[in-house]
Amino acid sequence: MSAKILITRKLPPDVERRAETFFTIKRNKGDVPMDQARLVELADGQDGILATVTDRIDAATIERLPATIRIIANFAVGTDHVDLEAAARRNIIVTNTPDVLTDATADIALLLLLGAARGAAQGMAAIRENKWANWAPTGMLGISLTGKRLGILGMGRIGQAIAKRAQAFGMKIHYHNRRPVETVDATFHATLDELLEQSDFLSINCASTAQTRGMINARTLALLPKGAIVVNTARGDIIDDDALIGAVKNGHLAAIGLDVFNNEPNIDPGYRALPNAFLLPHLGSATLETRNAMGFRALDNLEAFFVGKPPRDRVV
Ligand code: GLV
């Protein structure tokens, strides 16, 4: 008999079709993000869960999961929404989907860098609200990427893919990471403070962990040169919203570009009031090709596990 898998959100059709050929699937009809109680209820009688970023699988949820659950295959690279220690305590394996979303997410980071630097949000508003009076030599002046220093916080796969793209735009790459990465042509900074002092642009690409949460706050933002631009394609909780909004309002930052937020989708309304904030609704991996690849990778992990092989992307 095939293993029973709860899929917590609607997935692309090709992924769902493949899932059905290997497993007996239980779905979240309606595709609404589930609260913990509903997740535990639907997990009843299942062997595994194919979960994603809208599922807050904290320690209390993991403790209440039925004993039949042996694996949580995460449809995302980030696993900050799953309490990994609690999963380990219950011998539940957790997997993620690295590699397959690197390029799509790096593309969105470049979109944010360009969108923020070139005033794309104001430009689009001018067109949509029919307020574009005429072309003016001094109108809507942005900031060039060429020749500027891009500081990358977190030089993992996505950070490296952003570095490659930004180099093609003529940017000089600086980074802070737990350790230097030999394969990148970039300047390593042993501390975040040192990186910030050298960054005309800052791209946040580290995982959300106890160490990185709130790392971008009033103190650290003040270390950036005046007129810097901050973009985030990692996780919202690495940033202190009040501090970031304050730094844009008081002119310390020229602009920001965000694809991820605290408390998505109920973002701090202060962001909407900033004309120089280029904002996207967590689109990092949102192409059909990438979402298919993420789904297939999550299924690779589940299929391996249920035929008794080690899943390739085990994080716990
Ligand atoms: C999306 O945010 C992911 O972590 O894959």
Side-chain angles (χ1 to χ4, degrees), residues 15 46 63 67 86-87 103 107 109 111-112 138 147 158 160 168 191 221 225 247 256 270 272 285-286 292:
V15 177
Q46 303 300 294
E63 274 147 31
D103 286 326
D107 289 350
L111 180 60
L112 294 182
T138 56
I158 296 172
Q160 291 176 46
T191 66
L221 284 168
I256 54 173
R272 292 195 194 96
S285 64
N292 273 336

Side-chain angles (χ1 to χ4, degrees), residues 8-294:
T8 65
R9 298 298 304 273
K10 181 172 160 52
L11 297 176
D14 287 352
V15 177
E16 294 211 339
R17 262 193 295 278
R18 177 171 145 189
E20 280 158 7
T21 64
F22 282 84
F23 301 112
T24 305
I25 300 300
K26 189 191 265 185
R27 289 171 208 284
N28 165 17
K29 296 191 189 82
D31 191 32
V32 211
M34 291 189 265
D35 62 16
Q36 282 96 338
R38 180 80 181 135
L39 182 76
V40 170
E41 185 187 318
L42 284 186
D44 184 45
Q46 303 300 294
D47 302 307
I49 303 177
L50 200 164
T52 192
V53 296
T54 51
D55 303 306
R56 308 253 47 106
I57 310 182
D58 57 13
T61 310
I62 288 183
E63 274 147 31
R64 290 167 55 213
L65 285 175
T68 50
I69 297 289
R70 296 162 66 206
I71 179 167
I72 297 170
N74 187 40
F75 178 92
V77 68
T79 49
D80 49 296
H81 55 289
V82 182
D83 190 315
L84 300 179
E85 283 173 18
R89 277 198 298 276
R90 284 214 39 196
N91 286 326
I92 295 175
I93 285 177
V94 179
T95 62
N96 70 344
T97 58
D99 306 318
V100 290
L101 46 67
T102 300
D103 286 326
T105 308
D107 289 350
I108 287 287
L110 265 290
L111 180 60
L112 294 182
L113 288 169
L114 287 163
R118 301 301 299 272
Q122 294 110 306
M124 286 167 69
I127 297 267
R128 289 187 190 283
E129 293 160 23
N130 201 11
K131 288 186 180 149
W132 183 29
N134 54 52
W135 186 92
T138 56
M140 293 195 234
L141 299 184
I143 295 170
S144 295
L145 268 55
T146 315
K148 300 286 161 49
R149 299 166 299 180
L150 170 63
I152 298 182
L153 170 55
M155 196 50 108
R157 300 175 195 86
I158 296 172
Q160 291 176 46
I162 292 169
K164 224 160 62 183
R165 285 159 172 75
Q167 278 163 338
F169 280 83
M171 301 189 88
K172 299 182 196 97
I173 311 301
H174 292 246
Y175 70 103
H176 170 60
N177 199 48
R178 274 170 300 184
R179 22 179 193 278
V181 179
E182 304 299 332
T183 48
V184 294
D185 177 17
T187 307
F188 172 69
H189 296 274
T191 66
L192 171 66
D193 288 12
E194 204 180 290
L195 173 75
L196 295 176
E197 285 162 7
Q198 300 296 321
S199 298
D200 303 308
F201 289 75
L202 174 72
S203 174
I204 301 170
N205 298 104
C206 53
S208 161
T209 64
Q211 288 74 40
T212 62
R213 269 171 226 134
M215 207 177 202
I216 301 303
N217 52 41
R219 186 194 73 79
T220 50
L221 284 168
L223 298 172
L224 286 164
K226 185 168 164 55
I229 287 179
V230 173
V231 307
N232 188 7
T233 47
R235 283 292 182 267
D237 59 7
I238 297 160
I239 288 178
D240 173 333
D241 289 332
D242 286 343
L244 188 67
I245 291 167
V248 177
K249 273 190 177 158
N250 70 24
H252 182 61
L253 298 180
I256 54 173
L258 305 177
D259 185 48
V260 288
F261 299 85
N262 278 301
N263 200 26
E264 295 176 9
N266 303 310
I267 70 169
D268 188 319
Y271 286 119
R272 292 195 194 96
L274 300 174
N276 45 350
F278 183 76
L279 309 173
L280 296 175
H282 203 148
L283 298 183
S285 64
T287 69
L288 178 59
E289 297 92 326
T290 303
R291 292 281 163 87
N292 273 336
M294 290 164 70

